[in-house]
């Protein structure tokens, strides 16, 4: 089949931006030499920094630089001229709100895309990079708009589709006692990655209440603990200590000294306590101030299955530097979306993680208040589109 023509709407296109590490797979192929069945034909850049790459790449690969989303999707005509859209609202200079949430223009991008769909009375698949939006209201608007216009919609992090070390895929319907997900880095931006890592694992559990599919029903409350409280919350449950210890063994790069003392002093350390609607409970732990970025990343999952002798533990492998092969795995999912017209895994997962992150940021802003989340009664069934398999392409050292 001839490659599907796609447009991209990005915040900025510079080296190692998300626009670069995703769209390079369309332009020059995957690290293994194969190619997605997509052709980039048009691009909109919301910002153009001094180190912009897009203009030179447009000359090299022949795609059109457009001033508006409408022009990118119609190629200057009256009808829809592309078969897919990639909305990459990550990186660039944008403000933050009082909660510390970066206000990337993801809703604005999606609104402009949907305006074209409505005007042309047609729609095509859309991929939205990372969480849907900073705030729940914007995220839910995007989700509802996609459903109204029958837009095949995919979103999220590269974490669920990258390699796992070891290769752990929980069986559907497994009975989980609890789960701990370790992360690091910028509180909101990387807190989202940690949530996606957690959710792609725990969504496969049997409901603690004994219910049937769909196995995920959503989240009833979220609390963000910081300072000493981040550890007190974990210590309140007997199952958390062995899981945390098992996970931390894979966080091989860290500062010398006591983890709890160092993280208690760090402004960007904390835990997300997540109470699910079926009674299940999980924690995301961001031990900033102690953990460092290590080979493959310290995004680590640990979950305890009922009756198992040992927890299930794995590292979500993120390749740094080039060729950032985990983004190739994300591009494969986008390629499936555009090629089939169906999302390979539910956008509801990312709607849920977006809502949990917004609640966690609200809780943090309100000094650890427990945030009830009746709006996160989000039910969905996970698919079997899982992590990458096979050898990881060799890194290219700078």
């Amino acid at each position: 089949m001839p490659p599907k023509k796609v447009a991209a709407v990005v915040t900025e296109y510079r080296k190692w931006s998300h626009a670069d590490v995703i769209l390079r797979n369309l332009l020059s192929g995957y690290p293994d030499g194969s190619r997605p069945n997509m052709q980039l034909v048009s691009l909109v850049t919301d910002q153009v920094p001094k180190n912009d790459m897009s203009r030179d790449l447009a000359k090299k690969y022949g795609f059109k630089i457009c001033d508006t989303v409408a022009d990118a999707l119609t190629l200057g005509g009256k009808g829809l001229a592309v078969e897919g859209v990639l909305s990459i609202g990550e990186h660039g200079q944008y403000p933050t709100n009082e909660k510390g949430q970066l206000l990337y223009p993801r809703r604005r991008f999606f609104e402009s895309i949907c305006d074209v769909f409505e005007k042309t009375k047609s729609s095509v698949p859309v991929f939205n990079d990372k969480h849907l939006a900073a705030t729940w209201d914007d995220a839910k608007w995007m989700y509802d708009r996609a459903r109204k216009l029958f837009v095949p919609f995919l979103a999220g992090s590269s974490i669920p589709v990258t390699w796992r070390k070891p290769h752990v895929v929980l069986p559907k319907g497994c009975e989980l006692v609890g789960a701990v997900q370790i992360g690091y880095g910028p509180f909101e931006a990387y807190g989202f990655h940690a949530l996606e890592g957690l959710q792609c694992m725990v969504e496969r559990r049997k409901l603690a209440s004994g219910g049937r599919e769909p196995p995920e029903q959503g989240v009833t409350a979220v609390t963000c603990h910081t300072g000493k409280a981040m550890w007190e919350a974990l210590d309140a449950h007997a199952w958390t200590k062995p899981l945390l210890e098992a996970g931390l063994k894979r966080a091989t790069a860290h500062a010398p000294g006591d983890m709890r003392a160092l993280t208690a002093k760090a402004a960007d350390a904390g835990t997300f306590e997540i109470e699910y609607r079926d009674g299940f409970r999980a924690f995301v732990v961001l031990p900033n101030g102690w953990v460092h970025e290590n080979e493959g990343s310290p995004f680590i999952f640990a979950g305890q299955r009922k009756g198992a002798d040992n927890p299930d533990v794995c590292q979500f492998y993120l390749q740094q530097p080039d060729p950032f092969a985990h983004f190739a795995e994300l591009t494969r999912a986008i390629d499936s979306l555009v090629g089939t017209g169906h999302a390979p895994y539910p956008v509801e997962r990312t709607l849920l993680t977006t809502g949990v992150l917004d609640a966690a940021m609200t809780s943090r802003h309100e000094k650890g208040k427990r945030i009830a989340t009746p709006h996160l009664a989000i039910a969905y069934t996970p698919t079997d589109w899982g992590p990458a398999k096979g050898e990881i392409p060799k890194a290219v050292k700078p």
Side-chain angles (χ1 to χ4, degrees), residues 103-246:
L103 302 179
Y104 288 122
R106 294 174 188 154
R107 172 175 169 161
R108 170 161 61 85
F109 284 1
F110 194 69
E111 196 164 0
S112 297
I113 292 164
C114 288
D115 285 348
V116 177
F117 292 166
E118 193 164 43
K119 186 175 181 179
T120 60
K121 294 181 171 57
S122 56
S123 59
V124 296
V126 177
F127 167 73
N128 179 95
D129 188 32
K130 290 194 68 177
H131 43 304
L132 292 176
T135 67
W136 168 255
D137 287 346
D138 282 351
K140 185 62 162 58
W141 182 93
M142 293 167 66
Y143 176 77
D144 290 343
R145 188 75 168 149
R147 287 173 62 86
K148 182 178 179 180
L149 296 176
F150 300 100
V151 177
F153 200 19
L154 179 69
S157 165
S158 60
I159 290 281
V161 297
T162 193
W163 290 265
R164 298 175 192 170
K165 292 187 171 185
H167 186 82
V168 174
V169 177
L170 295 177
K172 281 187 178 179
C174 65
E175 294 187 66
L176 279 177
V177 176
V180 171
Q181 172 72 41
I182 298 168
Y184 78 109
F187 204 82
E188 182 199 21
Y190 281 30
F192 171 72
H193 288 309
L195 284 168
E196 288 264 291
L198 172 72
Q199 191 59 33
C200 74
M201 303 296 277
V202 304
E203 69 185 11
R204 300 176 68 82
R205 75 191 185 280
K206 178 182 179 181
L207 291 183
S209 58
R212 303 191 176 203
E213 289 192 346
E216 186 52 80
Q217 297 285 356
V219 168
T220 192
V222 178
T223 309
C224 180
H225 305 282
T226 57
K228 293 182 179 179
M230 68 180 282
W231 301 114
E232 293 169 355
L234 281 160
D235 292 341
H237 305 276
W239 52 266
T240 54
K241 183 178 179 180
L243 292 185
L244 182 64
E245 290 178 349

Side-chain angles (χ1 to χ4, degrees), residues 308-347:
D309 293 334
N310 298 301
D312 293 289
V313 184
C314 68
Q315 174 200 42
F316 296 95
Y317 186 88
L318 302 183
Q319 185 179 59
Q320 296 187 49
D322 285 325
F324 295 97
H326 53 286
F327 281 105
E329 297 305 313
L330 182 60
T331 307
R332 294 183 198 277
I334 300 167
D335 191 35
S336 176
L337 167 76
V338 174
T340 66
H342 298 281
Y345 41 88
V347 72

Side-chain angles (χ1 to χ4, degrees), residues 34 44 59 83 86 113 199 241 297 313 349 387:
S34 64
V44 178
K59 294 175 183 177
E83 298 165 280
L86 282 65
I113 292 164
Q199 191 59 33
K241 183 178 179 180
S297 92
V313 184
R349 175 206 289 162

Side-chain angles (χ1 to χ4, degrees), residues 18 56 245:
H18 274 211
D56 289 340
E245 290 178 349

